[in-house]
Amino acid sequence: MVLRALIFDVDGTLAETEEAHRDAFNRTFAEFGLPWSWDRTLYRALLRVSGGKERIRAFVAHHDPARDGAGLDDLIASLHRRKTELYTAAVAAGGVPLRPGVERLIGESRAAGLTVAVATTTTRANVLALMDGATGGAGHGWFATLACAEDAPRKKPDPQVYRVVLDRLGLPASACLALEDSTNGVRAACAAGIPVVVSESVYTDGDDFAGARAVFPDFAALTLDDLRRLHGGQPE
């Protein structure tokens, strides 16, 4: 089937946001007086869990199990709310640019009549802040739909967020191509029946991307014609 839509993940795919996320988590923990600090090694391991609230819960279960009881849900909600405030302020100020090739690919695709969408497990506020800071607001008009954490509570590798996008676009999975950076993202896209191409990010380089049509260090050298060929190809 002819390629009709590109569906982008956000964190690690549209932009290298994870260091900004990690910094916001650590600043939040300090504000709340918690003895937690996530270094890069720990954060890479935590990124195997999709979703910020889910990531905090996984950390508590393994590193501070004494807190895993009454009141934990409220604490996680408060932490995540403050972390989102800190993250969106930093990103909206322009601290995180789009990754190489992303804006060009989106422009080429839209000019060719393709639909462009987002499927992410991050919050809508985070996506909008990225569009403010990295594109000067222009990116708000790029996407036909933004399917975010609020729209799909079952996080990747569950395919729910991709199925939300397909339903909103009214397109079959075979007419779309997903662009991802993580193992969970690849698994989610494949489970929804959508072919997927990977651009490795700082925290996912060398991971297992079984099922992806191709894996690249970034999208800088890729063209829309390349993506069309990959969409019609077979997994490597």
Side-chain angles (χ1 to χ4, degrees), residues 44-82:
R44 178 165 185 148
L46 289 170
L47 285 172
R48 295 172 189 151
V49 178
S50 296
K53 293 178 183 177
E54 293 80 2
R55 208 164 289 143
I56 297 171
R57 189 176 300 278
F59 171 79
V60 170
H62 288 89
H63 298 276
D64 198 352
R67 295 183 190 272
D68 193 355
L72 181 60
D73 288 348
D74 289 341
L75 175 61
I76 289 174
S78 296
L79 290 170
H80 192 261
R81 184 164 49 250
R82 178 55 177 156

PDB file of all heavy atoms in Angstrom, residues 44-82:
ATOM      1  N   ARG A  44      18.790   5.274  32.191  1.00  0.00           N
ATOM      2  CA  ARG A  44      18.678   4.411  31.013  1.00  0.00           C
ATOM      3  C   ARG A  44      17.901   3.140  31.354  1.00  0.00           C
ATOM      4  O   ARG A  44      17.064   2.698  30.574  1.00  0.00           O
ATOM      5  CB  ARG A  44      20.055   4.061  30.451  1.00  0.00           C
ATOM      6  CG  ARG A  44      19.968   3.130  29.246  1.00  0.00           C
ATOM      7  CD  ARG A  44      21.248   3.052  28.449  1.00  0.00           C
ATOM      8  NE  ARG A  44      21.046   2.233  27.256  1.00  0.00           N
ATOM      9  CZ  ARG A  44      21.663   2.418  26.103  1.00  0.00           C
ATOM     10  NH1 ARG A  44      22.533   3.405  25.969  1.00  0.00           N
ATOM     11  NH2 ARG A  44      21.420   1.636  25.069  1.00  0.00           N
ATOM     12  N   ALA A  45      18.174   2.566  32.512  1.00  0.00           N
ATOM     13  CA  ALA A  45      17.434   1.379  32.929  1.00  0.00           C
ATOM     14  C   ALA A  45      15.965   1.702  33.162  1.00  0.00           C
ATOM     15  O   ALA A  45      15.068   0.946  32.764  1.00  0.00           O
ATOM     16  CB  ALA A  45      18.054   0.801  34.191  1.00  0.00           C
ATOM     17  N   LEU A  46      15.685   2.855  33.771  1.00  0.00           N
ATOM     18  CA  LEU A  46      14.302   3.239  34.043  1.00  0.00           C
ATOM     19  C   LEU A  46      13.519   3.520  32.765  1.00  0.00           C
ATOM     20  O   LEU A  46      12.290   3.374  32.734  1.00  0.00           O
ATOM     21  CB  LEU A  46      14.263   4.465  34.956  1.00  0.00           C
ATOM     22  CG  LEU A  46      14.697   4.227  36.406  1.00  0.00           C
ATOM     23  CD1 LEU A  46      14.848   5.552  37.133  1.00  0.00           C
ATOM     24  CD2 LEU A  46      13.690   3.335  37.123  1.00  0.00           C
ATOM     25  N   LEU A  47      14.215   3.923  31.712  1.00  0.00           N
ATOM     26  CA  LEU A  47      13.534   4.219  30.454  1.00  0.00           C
ATOM     27  C   LEU A  47      12.935   2.979  29.800  1.00  0.00           C
ATOM     28  O   LEU A  47      12.150   3.102  28.859  1.00  0.00           O
ATOM     29  CB  LEU A  47      14.488   4.922  29.479  1.00  0.00           C
ATOM     30  CG  LEU A  47      14.774   6.387  29.787  1.00  0.00           C
ATOM     31  CD1 LEU A  47      15.868   6.925  28.870  1.00  0.00           C
ATOM     32  CD2 LEU A  47      13.510   7.231  29.643  1.00  0.00           C
ATOM     33  N   ARG A  48      13.277   1.813  30.304  1.00  0.00           N
ATOM     34  CA  ARG A  48      12.604   0.606  29.808  1.00  0.00           C
ATOM     35  C   ARG A  48      11.138   0.602  30.203  1.00  0.00           C
ATOM     36  O   ARG A  48      10.335  -0.145  29.642  1.00  0.00           O
ATOM     37  CB  ARG A  48      13.294  -0.644  30.357  1.00  0.00           C
ATOM     38  CG  ARG A  48      14.728  -0.811  29.861  1.00  0.00           C
ATOM     39  CD  ARG A  48      15.424  -1.949  30.576  1.00  0.00           C
ATOM     40  NE  ARG A  48      16.847  -1.976  30.255  1.00  0.00           N
ATOM     41  CZ  ARG A  48      17.792  -2.432  31.062  1.00  0.00           C
ATOM     42  NH1 ARG A  48      17.455  -2.905  32.258  1.00  0.00           N
ATOM     43  NH2 ARG A  48      19.057  -2.429  30.698  1.00  0.00           N
ATOM     44  N   VAL A  49      10.786   1.438  31.188  1.00  0.00           N
ATOM     45  CA  VAL A  49       9.397   1.600  31.619  1.00  0.00           C
ATOM     46  C   VAL A  49       8.860   2.874  30.971  1.00  0.00           C
ATOM     47  O   VAL A  49       9.416   3.958  31.159  1.00  0.00           O
ATOM     48  CB  VAL A  49       9.308   1.723  33.155  1.00  0.00           C
ATOM     49  CG1 VAL A  49       7.857   1.931  33.589  1.00  0.00           C
ATOM     50  CG2 VAL A  49       9.912   0.499  33.814  1.00  0.00           C
ATOM     51  N   SER A  50       7.797   2.759  30.202  1.00  0.00           N
ATOM     52  CA  SER A  50       7.224   3.922  29.526  1.00  0.00           C
ATOM     53  C   SER A  50       6.312   4.694  30.477  1.00  0.00           C
ATOM     54  O   SER A  50       5.536   4.107  31.227  1.00  0.00           O
ATOM     55  CB  SER A  50       6.412   3.477  28.307  1.00  0.00           C
ATOM     56  OG  SER A  50       7.237   2.867  27.346  1.00  0.00           O
ATOM     57  N   GLY A  51       6.420   6.025  30.425  1.00  0.00           N
ATOM     58  CA  GLY A  51       5.569   6.886  31.235  1.00  0.00           C
ATOM     59  C   GLY A  51       6.267   7.358  32.493  1.00  0.00           C
ATOM     60  O   GLY A  51       6.896   6.573  33.211  1.00  0.00           O
ATOM     61  N   GLY A  52       6.171   8.667  32.772  1.00  0.00           N
ATOM     62  CA  GLY A  52       6.870   9.236  33.916  1.00  0.00           C
ATOM     63  C   GLY A  52       6.379   8.723  35.255  1.00  0.00           C
ATOM     64  O   GLY A  52       7.181   8.396  36.145  1.00  0.00           O
ATOM     65  N   LYS A  53       5.066   8.670  35.450  1.00  0.00           N
ATOM     66  CA  LYS A  53       4.525   8.157  36.716  1.00  0.00           C
ATOM     67  C   LYS A  53       4.916   6.696  36.912  1.00  0.00           C
ATOM     68  O   LYS A  53       5.290   6.289  38.017  1.00  0.00           O
ATOM     69  CB  LYS A  53       3.005   8.307  36.736  1.00  0.00           C
ATOM     70  CG  LYS A  53       2.507   9.742  36.777  1.00  0.00           C
ATOM     71  CD  LYS A  53       0.993   9.783  36.755  1.00  0.00           C
ATOM     72  CE  LYS A  53       0.481  11.204  36.719  1.00  0.00           C
ATOM     73  NZ  LYS A  53      -0.999  11.258  36.629  1.00  0.00           N
ATOM     74  N   GLU A  54       4.819   5.939  35.829  1.00  0.00           N
ATOM     75  CA  GLU A  54       5.178   4.523  35.894  1.00  0.00           C
ATOM     76  C   GLU A  54       6.656   4.343  36.210  1.00  0.00           C
ATOM     77  O   GLU A  54       7.049   3.414  36.922  1.00  0.00           O
ATOM     78  CB  GLU A  54       4.830   3.845  34.575  1.00  0.00           C
ATOM     79  CG  GLU A  54       3.337   3.751  34.286  1.00  0.00           C
ATOM     80  CD  GLU A  54       2.734   5.051  33.746  1.00  0.00           C
ATOM     81  OE1 GLU A  54       3.485   6.034  33.551  1.00  0.00           O
ATOM     82  OE2 GLU A  54       1.509   5.080  33.522  1.00  0.00           O
ATOM     83  N   ARG A  55       7.471   5.259  35.706  1.00  0.00           N
ATOM     84  CA  ARG A  55       8.910   5.200  35.951  1.00  0.00           C
ATOM     85  C   ARG A  55       9.217   5.445  37.433  1.00  0.00           C
ATOM     86  O   ARG A  55      10.063   4.772  38.024  1.00  0.00           O
ATOM     87  CB  ARG A  55       9.596   6.238  35.064  1.00  0.00           C
ATOM     88  CG  ARG A  55      11.011   5.926  34.663  1.00  0.00           C
ATOM     89  CD  ARG A  55      11.409   6.806  33.502  1.00  0.00           C
ATOM     90  NE  ARG A  55      10.725   6.401  32.288  1.00  0.00           N
ATOM     91  CZ  ARG A  55      10.271   7.244  31.348  1.00  0.00           C
ATOM     92  NH1 ARG A  55      10.443   8.542  31.490  1.00  0.00           N
ATOM     93  NH2 ARG A  55       9.664   6.787  30.280  1.00  0.00           N
ATOM     94  N   ILE A  56       8.542   6.416  38.031  1.00  0.00           N
ATOM     95  CA  ILE A  56       8.736   6.685  39.457  1.00  0.00           C
ATOM     96  C   ILE A  56       8.330   5.461  40.277  1.00  0.00           C
ATOM     97  O   ILE A  56       9.030   5.049  41.207  1.00  0.00           O
ATOM     98  CB  ILE A  56       7.928   7.917  39.905  1.00  0.00           C
ATOM     99  CG1 ILE A  56       8.406   9.178  39.181  1.00  0.00           C
ATOM    100  CG2 ILE A  56       8.055   8.109  41.415  1.00  0.00           C
ATOM    101  CD1 ILE A  56       7.523  10.389  39.415  1.00  0.00           C
ATOM    102  N   ARG A  57       7.191   4.870  39.923  1.00  0.00           N
ATOM    103  CA  ARG A  57       6.715   3.699  40.661  1.00  0.00           C
ATOM    104  C   ARG A  57       7.705   2.548  40.561  1.00  0.00           C
ATOM    105  O   ARG A  57       7.969   1.847  41.542  1.00  0.00           O
ATOM    106  CB  ARG A  57       5.335   3.281  40.148  1.00  0.00           C
ATOM    107  CG  ARG A  57       4.670   2.202  41.000  1.00  0.00           C
ATOM    108  CD  ARG A  57       3.267   1.905  40.497  1.00  0.00           C
ATOM    109  NE  ARG A  57       2.425   3.079  40.548  1.00  0.00           N
ATOM    110  CZ  ARG A  57       1.814   3.502  41.631  1.00  0.00           C
ATOM    111  NH1 ARG A  57       1.957   2.839  42.779  1.00  0.00           N
ATOM    112  NH2 ARG A  57       1.047   4.584  41.599  1.00  0.00           N
ATOM    113  N   ALA A  58       8.255   2.337  39.363  1.00  0.00           N
ATOM    114  CA  ALA A  58       9.233   1.267  39.186  1.00  0.00           C
ATOM    115  C   ALA A  58      10.488   1.532  40.019  1.00  0.00           C
ATOM    116  O   ALA A  58      11.072   0.610  40.601  1.00  0.00           O
ATOM    117  CB  ALA A  58       9.596   1.135  37.708  1.00  0.00           C
ATOM    118  N   PHE A  59      10.903   2.788  40.082  1.00  0.00           N
ATOM    119  CA  PHE A  59      12.072   3.148  40.886  1.00  0.00           C
ATOM    120  C   PHE A  59      11.822   2.857  42.357  1.00  0.00           C
ATOM    121  O   PHE A  59      12.665   2.264  43.045  1.00  0.00           O
ATOM    122  CB  PHE A  59      12.408   4.624  40.693  1.00  0.00           C
ATOM    123  CG  PHE A  59      13.457   5.134  41.640  1.00  0.00           C
ATOM    124  CD1 PHE A  59      14.803   4.886  41.419  1.00  0.00           C
ATOM    125  CD2 PHE A  59      13.091   5.840  42.780  1.00  0.00           C
ATOM    126  CE1 PHE A  59      15.764   5.342  42.312  1.00  0.00           C
ATOM    127  CE2 PHE A  59      14.048   6.299  43.670  1.00  0.00           C
ATOM    128  CZ  PHE A  59      15.387   6.050  43.430  1.00  0.00           C
ATOM    129  N   VAL A  60      10.670   3.273  42.861  1.00  0.00           N
ATOM    130  CA  VAL A  60      10.342   3.044  44.267  1.00  0.00           C
ATOM    131  C   VAL A  60      10.350   1.554  44.586  1.00  0.00           C
ATOM    132  O   VAL A  60      10.899   1.120  45.602  1.00  0.00           O
ATOM    133  CB  VAL A  60       8.972   3.674  44.611  1.00  0.00           C
ATOM    134  CG1 VAL A  60       8.515   3.228  45.998  1.00  0.00           C
ATOM    135  CG2 VAL A  60       9.054   5.190  44.544  1.00  0.00           C
ATOM    136  N   ALA A  61       9.754   0.756  43.699  1.00  0.00           N
ATOM    137  CA  ALA A  61       9.655  -0.686  43.948  1.00  0.00           C
ATOM    138  C   ALA A  61      11.026  -1.339  44.104  1.00  0.00           C
ATOM    139  O   ALA A  61      11.196  -2.261  44.903  1.00  0.00           O
ATOM    140  CB  ALA A  61       8.881  -1.346  42.815  1.00  0.00           C
ATOM    141  N   HIS A  62      12.016  -0.831  43.364  1.00  0.00           N
ATOM    142  CA  HIS A  62      13.332  -1.459  43.371  1.00  0.00           C
ATOM    143  C   HIS A  62      14.351  -0.768  44.282  1.00  0.00           C
ATOM    144  O   HIS A  62      15.295  -1.400  44.746  1.00  0.00           O
ATOM    145  CB  HIS A  62      13.900  -1.517  41.942  1.00  0.00           C
ATOM    146  CG  HIS A  62      13.215  -2.518  41.072  1.00  0.00           C
ATOM    147  ND1 HIS A  62      12.098  -2.206  40.325  1.00  0.00           N
ATOM    148  CD2 HIS A  62      13.472  -3.824  40.850  1.00  0.00           C
ATOM    149  CE1 HIS A  62      11.710  -3.291  39.665  1.00  0.00           C
ATOM    150  NE2 HIS A  62      12.521  -4.278  39.970  1.00  0.00           N
ATOM    151  N   HIS A  63      14.173   0.529  44.535  1.00  0.00           N
ATOM    152  CA  HIS A  63      15.219   1.278  45.230  1.00  0.00           C
ATOM    153  C   HIS A  63      14.775   1.905  46.552  1.00  0.00           C
ATOM    154  O   HIS A  63      15.629   2.317  47.342  1.00  0.00           O
ATOM    155  CB  HIS A  63      15.754   2.382  44.308  1.00  0.00           C
ATOM    156  CG  HIS A  63      16.393   1.860  43.061  1.00  0.00           C
ATOM    157  ND1 HIS A  63      17.710   1.454  43.018  1.00  0.00           N
ATOM    158  CD2 HIS A  63      15.886   1.658  41.819  1.00  0.00           C
ATOM    159  CE1 HIS A  63      17.995   1.034  41.793  1.00  0.00           C
ATOM    160  NE2 HIS A  63      16.910   1.144  41.050  1.00  0.00           N
ATOM    161  N   ASP A  64      13.464   1.999  46.790  1.00  0.00           N
ATOM    162  CA  ASP A  64      12.980   2.568  48.051  1.00  0.00           C
ATOM    163  C   ASP A  64      11.653   1.903  48.411  1.00  0.00           C
ATOM    164  O   ASP A  64      10.636   2.573  48.574  1.00  0.00           O
ATOM    165  CB  ASP A  64      12.807   4.086  47.897  1.00  0.00           C
ATOM    166  CG  ASP A  64      12.730   4.796  49.241  1.00  0.00           C
ATOM    167  OD1 ASP A  64      12.667   4.107  50.280  1.00  0.00           O
ATOM    168  OD2 ASP A  64      12.719   6.042  49.253  1.00  0.00           O
ATOM    169  N   PRO A  65      11.641   0.564  48.540  1.00  0.00           N
ATOM    170  CA  PRO A  65      10.383  -0.161  48.722  1.00  0.00           C
ATOM    171  C   PRO A  65       9.630   0.198  49.989  1.00  0.00           C
ATOM    172  O   PRO A  65       8.418  -0.038  50.079  1.00  0.00           O
ATOM    173  CB  PRO A  65      10.829  -1.633  48.737  1.00  0.00           C
ATOM    174  CG  PRO A  65      12.277  -1.604  49.106  1.00  0.00           C
ATOM    175  CD  PRO A  65      12.808  -0.344  48.501  1.00  0.00           C
ATOM    176  N   ALA A  66      10.287   0.784  50.967  1.00  0.00           N
ATOM    177  CA  ALA A  66       9.602   1.175  52.199  1.00  0.00           C
ATOM    178  C   ALA A  66       8.525   2.222  51.938  1.00  0.00           C
ATOM    179  O   ALA A  66       7.584   2.364  52.730  1.00  0.00           O
ATOM    180  CB  ALA A  66      10.614   1.702  53.212  1.00  0.00           C
ATOM    181  N   ARG A  67       8.662   2.968  50.848  1.00  0.00           N
ATOM    182  CA  ARG A  67       7.663   3.991  50.517  1.00  0.00           C
ATOM    183  C   ARG A  67       6.469   3.416  49.753  1.00  0.00           C
ATOM    184  O   ARG A  67       5.498   4.126  49.494  1.00  0.00           O
ATOM    185  CB  ARG A  67       8.289   5.108  49.680  1.00  0.00           C
ATOM    186  CG  ARG A  67       9.337   5.911  50.410  1.00  0.00           C
ATOM    187  CD  ARG A  67       9.851   7.052  49.541  1.00  0.00           C
ATOM    188  NE  ARG A  67      11.000   7.669  50.140  1.00  0.00           N
ATOM    189  CZ  ARG A  67      10.954   8.677  51.022  1.00  0.00           C
ATOM    190  NH1 ARG A  67       9.785   9.165  51.377  1.00  0.00           N
ATOM    191  NH2 ARG A  67      12.067   9.176  51.526  1.00  0.00           N
ATOM    192  N   ASP A  68       6.566   2.152  49.362  1.00  0.00           N
ATOM    193  CA  ASP A  68       5.530   1.545  48.530  1.00  0.00           C
ATOM    194  C   ASP A  68       4.351   1.122  49.404  1.00  0.00           C
ATOM    195  O   ASP A  68       4.181  -0.036  49.759  1.00  0.00           O
ATOM    196  CB  ASP A  68       6.097   0.333  47.790  1.00  0.00           C
ATOM    197  CG  ASP A  68       5.167  -0.127  46.682  1.00  0.00           C
ATOM    198  OD1 ASP A  68       4.058   0.436  46.561  1.00  0.00           O
ATOM    199  OD2 ASP A  68       5.548  -1.045  45.943  1.00  0.00           O
ATOM    200  N   GLY A  69       3.525   2.121  49.757  1.00  0.00           N
ATOM    201  CA  GLY A  69       2.375   1.849  50.607  1.00  0.00           C
ATOM    202  C   GLY A  69       1.364   2.966  50.505  1.00  0.00           C
ATOM    203  O   GLY A  69       1.257   3.644  49.465  1.00  0.00           O
ATOM    204  N   ALA A  70       0.618   3.190  51.557  1.00  0.00           N
ATOM    205  CA  ALA A  70      -0.397   4.241  51.575  1.00  0.00           C
ATOM    206  C   ALA A  70       0.242   5.594  51.281  1.00  0.00           C
ATOM    207  O   ALA A  70       1.291   5.934  51.830  1.00  0.00           O
ATOM    208  CB  ALA A  70      -1.087   4.262  52.939  1.00  0.00           C
ATOM    209  N   GLY A  71      -0.408   6.321  50.434  1.00  0.00           N
ATOM    210  CA  GLY A  71       0.069   7.654  50.090  1.00  0.00           C
ATOM    211  C   GLY A  71       0.991   7.710  48.899  1.00  0.00           C
ATOM    212  O   GLY A  71       1.311   8.809  48.417  1.00  0.00           O
ATOM    213  N   LEU A  72       1.432   6.542  48.405  1.00  0.00           N
ATOM    214  CA  LEU A  72       2.375   6.562  47.283  1.00  0.00           C
ATOM    215  C   LEU A  72       1.733   7.134  46.024  1.00  0.00           C
ATOM    216  O   LEU A  72       2.370   7.895  45.301  1.00  0.00           O
ATOM    217  CB  LEU A  72       2.910   5.158  47.001  1.00  0.00           C
ATOM    218  CG  LEU A  72       3.921   5.060  45.847  1.00  0.00           C
ATOM    219  CD1 LEU A  72       5.153   5.912  46.130  1.00  0.00           C
ATOM    220  CD2 LEU A  72       4.315   3.603  45.595  1.00  0.00           C
ATOM    221  N   ASP A  73       0.481   6.794  45.757  1.00  0.00           N
ATOM    222  CA  ASP A  73      -0.179   7.310  44.559  1.00  0.00           C
ATOM    223  C   ASP A  73      -0.227   8.832  44.570  1.00  0.00           C
ATOM    224  O   ASP A  73       0.047   9.479  43.551  1.00  0.00           O
ATOM    225  CB  ASP A  73      -1.602   6.754  44.447  1.00  0.00           C
ATOM    226  CG  ASP A  73      -1.622   5.280  44.072  1.00  0.00           C
ATOM    227  OD1 ASP A  73      -0.568   4.748  43.684  1.00  0.00           O
ATOM    228  OD2 ASP A  73      -2.705   4.668  44.173  1.00  0.00           O
ATOM    229  N   ASP A  74      -0.573   9.401  45.716  1.00  0.00           N
ATOM    230  CA  ASP A  74      -0.639  10.860  45.825  1.00  0.00           C
ATOM    231  C   ASP A  74       0.739  11.483  45.661  1.00  0.00           C
ATOM    232  O   ASP A  74       0.891  12.534  45.022  1.00  0.00           O
ATOM    233  CB  ASP A  74      -1.244  11.279  47.168  1.00  0.00           C
ATOM    234  CG  ASP A  74      -2.733  10.977  47.265  1.00  0.00           C
ATOM    235  OD1 ASP A  74      -3.364  10.781  46.202  1.00  0.00           O
ATOM    236  OD2 ASP A  74      -3.249  10.924  48.391  1.00  0.00           O
ATOM    237  N   LEU A  75       1.753  10.852  46.252  1.00  0.00           N
ATOM    238  CA  LEU A  75       3.115  11.366  46.122  1.00  0.00           C
ATOM    239  C   LEU A  75       3.554  11.341  44.660  1.00  0.00           C
ATOM    240  O   LEU A  75       4.104  12.335  44.156  1.00  0.00           O
ATOM    241  CB  LEU A  75       4.078  10.533  46.972  1.00  0.00           C
ATOM    242  CG  LEU A  75       5.564  10.884  46.825  1.00  0.00           C
ATOM    243  CD1 LEU A  75       5.826  12.319  47.254  1.00  0.00           C
ATOM    244  CD2 LEU A  75       6.432   9.907  47.609  1.00  0.00           C
ATOM    245  N   ILE A  76       3.310  10.233  43.981  1.00  0.00           N
ATOM    246  CA  ILE A  76       3.703  10.131  42.575  1.00  0.00           C
ATOM    247  C   ILE A  76       2.999  11.183  41.742  1.00  0.00           C
ATOM    248  O   ILE A  76       3.617  11.826  40.879  1.00  0.00           O
ATOM    249  CB  ILE A  76       3.424   8.714  42.045  1.00  0.00           C
ATOM    250  CG1 ILE A  76       4.402   7.714  42.660  1.00  0.00           C
ATOM    251  CG2 ILE A  76       3.523   8.680  40.519  1.00  0.00           C
ATOM    252  CD1 ILE A  76       4.119   6.276  42.299  1.00  0.00           C
ATOM    253  N   ALA A  77       1.712  11.387  41.981  1.00  0.00           N
ATOM    254  CA  ALA A  77       0.966  12.394  41.220  1.00  0.00           C
ATOM    255  C   ALA A  77       1.550  13.786  41.450  1.00  0.00           C
ATOM    256  O   ALA A  77       1.698  14.576  40.500  1.00  0.00           O
ATOM    257  CB  ALA A  77      -0.505  12.358  41.609  1.00  0.00           C
ATOM    258  N   SER A  78       1.880  14.100  42.692  1.00  0.00           N
ATOM    259  CA  SER A  78       2.451  15.420  42.999  1.00  0.00           C
ATOM    260  C   SER A  78       3.829  15.589  42.377  1.00  0.00           C
ATOM    261  O   SER A  78       4.155  16.652  41.819  1.00  0.00           O
ATOM    262  CB  SER A  78       2.543  15.606  44.516  1.00  0.00           C
ATOM    263  OG  SER A  78       1.269  15.609  45.101  1.00  0.00           O
ATOM    264  N   LEU A  79       4.645  14.550  42.483  1.00  0.00           N
ATOM    265  CA  LEU A  79       5.977  14.605  41.888  1.00  0.00           C
ATOM    266  C   LEU A  79       5.884  14.799  40.378  1.00  0.00           C
ATOM    267  O   LEU A  79       6.594  15.635  39.806  1.00  0.00           O
ATOM    268  CB  LEU A  79       6.748  13.316  42.190  1.00  0.00           C
ATOM    269  CG  LEU A  79       7.198  13.088  43.631  1.00  0.00           C
ATOM    270  CD1 LEU A  79       7.728  11.675  43.791  1.00  0.00           C
ATOM    271  CD2 LEU A  79       8.249  14.111  44.041  1.00  0.00           C
ATOM    272  N   HIS A  80       5.026  14.040  39.735  1.00  0.00           N
ATOM    273  CA  HIS A  80       4.929  14.112  38.285  1.00  0.00           C
ATOM    274  C   HIS A  80       4.391  15.467  37.835  1.00  0.00           C
ATOM    275  O   HIS A  80       4.840  16.017  36.823  1.00  0.00           O
ATOM    276  CB  HIS A  80       4.046  12.985  37.752  1.00  0.00           C
ATOM    277  CG  HIS A  80       4.122  12.831  36.274  1.00  0.00           C
ATOM    278  ND1 HIS A  80       3.167  13.352  35.420  1.00  0.00           N
ATOM    279  CD2 HIS A  80       5.061  12.255  35.472  1.00  0.00           C
ATOM    280  CE1 HIS A  80       3.506  13.078  34.177  1.00  0.00           C
ATOM    281  NE2 HIS A  80       4.644  12.428  34.179  1.00  0.00           N
ATOM    282  N   ARG A  81       3.440  16.016  38.586  1.00  0.00           N
ATOM    283  CA  ARG A  81       2.897  17.330  38.248  1.00  0.00           C
ATOM    284  C   ARG A  81       3.992  18.397  38.307  1.00  0.00           C
ATOM    285  O   ARG A  81       4.133  19.220  37.391  1.00  0.00           O
ATOM    286  CB  ARG A  81       1.751  17.671  39.192  1.00  0.00           C
ATOM    287  CG  ARG A  81       1.058  18.977  38.875  1.00  0.00           C
ATOM    288  CD  ARG A  81      -0.291  19.066  39.593  1.00  0.00           C
ATOM    289  NE  ARG A  81      -0.195  18.737  41.003  1.00  0.00           N
ATOM    290  CZ  ARG A  81      -0.705  17.629  41.559  1.00  0.00           C
ATOM    291  NH1 ARG A  81      -1.341  16.743  40.814  1.00  0.00           N
ATOM    292  NH2 ARG A  81      -0.572  17.405  42.853  1.00  0.00           N
ATOM    293  N   ARG A  82       4.796  18.381  39.377  1.00  0.00           N
ATOM    294  CA  ARG A  82       5.863  19.378  39.509  1.00  0.00           C
ATOM    295  C   ARG A  82       6.957  19.147  38.478  1.00  0.00           C
ATOM    296  O   ARG A  82       7.477  20.113  37.891  1.00  0.00           O
ATOM    297  CB  ARG A  82       6.452  19.326  40.922  1.00  0.00           C
ATOM    298  CG  ARG A  82       7.601  20.307  41.147  1.00  0.00           C
ATOM    299  CD  ARG A  82       7.192  21.727  40.807  1.00  0.00           C
ATOM    300  NE  ARG A  82       8.268  22.680  41.093  1.00  0.00           N
ATOM    301  CZ  ARG A  82       8.374  23.866  40.502  1.00  0.00           C
ATOM    302  NH1 ARG A  82       7.454  24.271  39.604  1.00  0.00           N
ATOM    303  NH2 ARG A  82       9.373  24.676  40.800  1.00  0.00           N
TER     304      ARG A  82
END
